[in-house]
Amino acid sequence: MIELRRATPDDAAAVARIWYPGWCDAHLGNVPRRLVDARPEESFEPRALEHVGETTVATVNGEVAGFVMVVGDEVEQVYVSSDHRGSGVAQALLAAAEQEVAANGHSRAWLAVVAGNVRARRFYERQGWADEGLFDHRAPYPDGPIPVPAHRYTKPVRGNPVS
């Protein structure tokens, strides 16, 4: 059974263990080398801890199986451990993110998917998200944002906000 809850600082290590390999799966070969160099494995746990207040985790049998980060109207990160892909965790996290965007007072959610991440793009399309085309996503970096070719996906959101 999938349970969703807000992340706590104690979840940062588990989130990082899912985030880094998932990020590599989605981004290696699909983003500029500068971004790959800017995202070493050891950077993911501090980033997870920094964003804990924006993170919802999905647990299965008490184990963190995936997470989603939402900031304002943007679904910033959606990752599921390789052991739980295809199990419904991603759909549950995305639905929670859509509700959170609505709770944040927005009528439309958006997210960026690197152009070469075909698996994720198909997933979002199956969930009712619309591809609005290519744009340069500005990936955060301390020395200034790194432009990354990505597709902007959007979806109208409404309904009962989650607390």
Side-chain angles (χ1 to χ4, degrees), residues 12 15-16 19 23 38-40 42-52 54-55 69 76-77 140:
V15 166
W19 196 358
W23 189 91
R39 300 287 190 262
E42 63 271 11
S43 71
F44 283 78
E45 187 170 343
R47 287 175 63 216
L49 189 57
E50 178 183 340
H51 296 285
V52 72
E54 302 153 349
T55 304
M69 294 179 184
E76 282 197 354
Q77 312 291 338

Side-chain angles (χ1 to χ4, degrees), residues 7-89:
T8 69
D10 291 340
D11 294 317
V15 166
R17 280 192 301 273
I18 294 167
W19 196 358
Y20 178 70
W23 189 91
C24 289
D25 287 349
H27 293 82
L28 296 183
N30 294 321
V31 298
R33 183 75 211 170
R34 182 171 174 233
L35 183 61
V36 174
D37 292 344
R39 300 287 190 262
E41 184 172 4
E42 63 271 11
S43 71
F44 283 78
E45 187 170 343
R47 287 175 63 216
L49 189 57
E50 178 183 340
H51 296 285
V52 72
E54 302 153 349
T55 304
T56 297
V57 295
T59 62
V60 175
N61 298 323
E63 172 190 355
V64 176
F67 70 93
V68 63
M69 294 179 184
V70 175
V71 177
D73 63 346
E74 182 183 4
V75 179
E76 282 197 354
Q77 312 291 338
V78 181
Y79 286 93
V80 175
S81 74
S82 59
D83 292 343
H84 295 281
R85 290 182 186 161
S87 68
V89 169

Side-chain angles (χ1 to χ4, degrees), residues 93-117:
L93 286 167
L94 192 58
E98 292 168 11
Q99 290 179 343
E100 187 170 343
V101 169
N104 290 341
H106 303 282
S107 61
R108 181 175 297 275
W110 76 278
L111 55 82
V113 182
V114 295
N117 190 350

Side-chain angles (χ1 to χ4, degrees), residues 73 108 110-113 130-135 150-154:
D73 63 346
R108 181 175 297 275
W110 76 278
L111 55 82
V113 182
D131 183 352
E132 292 190 347
L134 282 169
F135 78 112
H151 283 258
R152 180 183 172 96
Y153 280 79
T154 62

